[in-house]
Amino acid sequence: MGRRYIDCRAFPSETNCSVAISADSDAELLEAAVQHAVSVHKHTDSPELRAQLQTLFQDGTPAVAPPKMATA
């Protein structure tokens, strides 16, 4: 498996978060993403949050320019 990432810039937030996190394993990426979601975005660590975050993982590394925002 290659590098994977999750990019907050793709999702609207009150803080206009500009963090993108990447790692070489899904397990490491998930732990970093959960810590970020809990400490910055005030989510509660739960199995549901972890499952949702995993669906947002992308292959590769985040782009320098912000991605287009996701719509609900």
Side-chain angles (χ1 to χ4, degrees):
M1 177 190 314
R3 199 130 174 99
R4 306 261 286 162
Y5 73 94
I6 187 168
D7 194 335
C8 276
R9 299 174 297 174
F11 304 96
S13 72
E14 291 178 8
T15 60
N16 293 317
C17 187
S18 65
V19 169
I21 303 167
S22 63
D24 290 332
S25 74
D26 280 3
E28 186 178 19
L29 181 56
L30 181 60
E31 289 308 313
V34 167
Q35 288 178 23
H36 174 75
V38 169
S39 66
V40 175
H41 299 289
K42 307 303 181 204
H43 292 288
T44 300
D45 185 354
S46 67
E48 293 82 12
L49 174 66
R50 289 172 176 267
Q52 182 181 24
L53 288 171
Q54 286 181 299
T55 68
L56 304 174
F57 290 178
Q58 302 289 317
D59 292 328
T61 56
V64 173
K68 293 184 180 182
M69 289 245 184
T71 56

